[in-house]
Amino acid sequence: MKYCSHCQSELIITIPSGDNRERYTCSVCGTIFYQNPRIIAGCIPLYKERVLLCRRAIEPRKGYWTLPAGFMENGESTVEAARRETWEEALAKVDIGNLFSICNIPRLNQVHLYYLANLPDPEFGVGAESLEVDLFCEADVPWQKLSFSTVKQSLQRFFHDRETGQKLLHHIDL
Ligand SMILES: [Zn+2]
């Protein structure tokens, strides 16, 4: 970030009065540009005993498998974002259920949310951001080729909970 989006003047990094953190601030009009974590919303789509995974066609982690998820857009809810991302990446229409995991990644300034989701029919396809989309039972999940640790940890806990019948909201800090 270099220039003010209001007046095009150069930005400086300074601690505004009454604040305690450095912010990008316009040296001319005084606008402060706050930067906050971004939310990634996704789901764990389940059809019978199998989960729907997508192999990423884009960086980061191109070629690795992931749960459908992506950055929230303005004007939508987290559930809407999870549903939209599942459609875009896997051409699958899911019923979003309870929130399953909240993953904090302060290092990346991101919060990842995964919902439980029901895939009513085994109907899906390969969306623009995917190379492959498929259903996996626990033993067949490509555990060594998962894209992100939030995906791996959420899936591990998901299968564990299914075995034990536990119903928890998982808080995962990375
Ligand atoms: Zn300005």
Side-chain angles (χ1 to χ4, degrees), residues 43-59:
C43 67
I44 306 175
L46 189 69
Y47 175 73
K48 299 196 170 161
E49 296 299 306
R50 293 182 293 165
V51 295
L52 189 73
L53 300 178
C54 312
R55 197 153 74 84
R56 292 172 62 81
I58 51 169
E59 297 292 353

Side-chain angles (χ1 to χ4, degrees), residues 3-11 26-31 33:
Y3 298 103
C4 176
S5 57
H6 296 297
C7 73
Q8 321 306 325
S9 304
E10 210 159 314
L11 297 177
C26 178
S27 54
V28 174
C29 77
T31 302
F33 294 89

Side-chain angles (χ1 to χ4, degrees), residues 95-112:
D95 302 320
I96 302 287
N98 289 336
L99 184 59
F100 180 78
S101 60
I102 300 178
C103 317
N104 288 292
I105 318 171
R107 176 174 55 86
L108 299 177
N109 304 317
Q110 292 180 357
V111 178
H112 296 205

